[in-house]
Amino acid sequence: MKNAAVVQPQAKAGGAAGSSAGGSAGDVNCSTNGGQVGPAGGPMVDLIAVSTEEGTPGCTEAFNVISEYYAKAPNGEGPGRRVLDIAGHWDCAKAAEPEGSQGVVLCGKDGGTGFRIETAPSKDSAPSNQVTQRFPNTTQTVQFTGYDTTANMARFQLVTWQAGGPDNGHYVPVAGDTKTYRLPLENHEQVFSASTVCPGDSVTVDGQGRGTKACTPQDLMQALTGDTPPLAEIQVDGNDHIAVVKELYQP
């Protein structure tokens, strides 16, 4: 995902809390430059900085607020997963049904008296039953490249073993595929370390160099957000979520 663009406040105009992408003239669709957002395993939607009499919030602030909301929403209050005091000033909650199931989240600053942001299905979004799954029910060899906190997805590139060279072989990007992919993590993924995901006193691998030491999802998150995300074999479930991660040992 691209970095969130800093959008200056637009001309003041009215904007209803339920307005959609491209609604009021002063609303700003932050996803145009920053990409769509959404909770892990949920629908991806546009992030809208809503124009009110107070002005229009910047997109950097909007992305920061919605990211914190998605991280805290599983422990939010009530059916709307309401979260208070985000960044010290914002409150967010899912919209009432049926909009809530479509990914609509409404946020207000300073008790709703200040700026507002919301999420909304894109006008160009395909119906949910037409969402393309990339790797369901497969095993892939990947080089993790980080974690997208806005979308709650792990980033990675596909790699393959190439024999020869000074190290008698190493992993290289799959020929013709240099894309960076993103997939959500399954809620209770299994994680196994070879040497770095959850370091121990020795290397712990099977005969194919795959990690065998059980780690926690928190260990994996720390590795994904660190300076050297791991090389790994991943197993993707039928919902296109990463269910198992086995670090590959690199001497």
Side-chain angles (χ1 to χ4, degrees), residues 145-201:
T145 60
Y147 190 79
D148 190 330
T149 56
T150 301
N152 289 322
M153 292 186 179
R155 298 194 305 267
F156 60 88
Q157 293 180 318
L158 299 179
V159 296
T160 188
W161 178 258
Q162 179 174 290
D167 298 324
N168 296 318
H170 55 285
Y171 286 95
V172 297
V174 171
D177 188 351
T178 58
K179 296 178 182 177
T180 296
Y181 295 95
R182 299 187 305 174
L183 284 181
L185 299 171
E186 203 274 335
N187 287 335
H188 304 287
E189 74 272 16
Q190 299 180 63
V191 183
F192 299 94
S193 175
S195 60
T196 66
V197 175
C198 51
D201 295 331

Side-chain angles (χ1 to χ4, degrees), residues 26-48:
D27 293 352
V28 175
N29 187 338
C30 296
S31 291
T32 299
N33 292 318
Q36 291 189 309
V37 298
M44 300 300 292
V45 289
D46 286 351
L47 178 61
I48 312 300

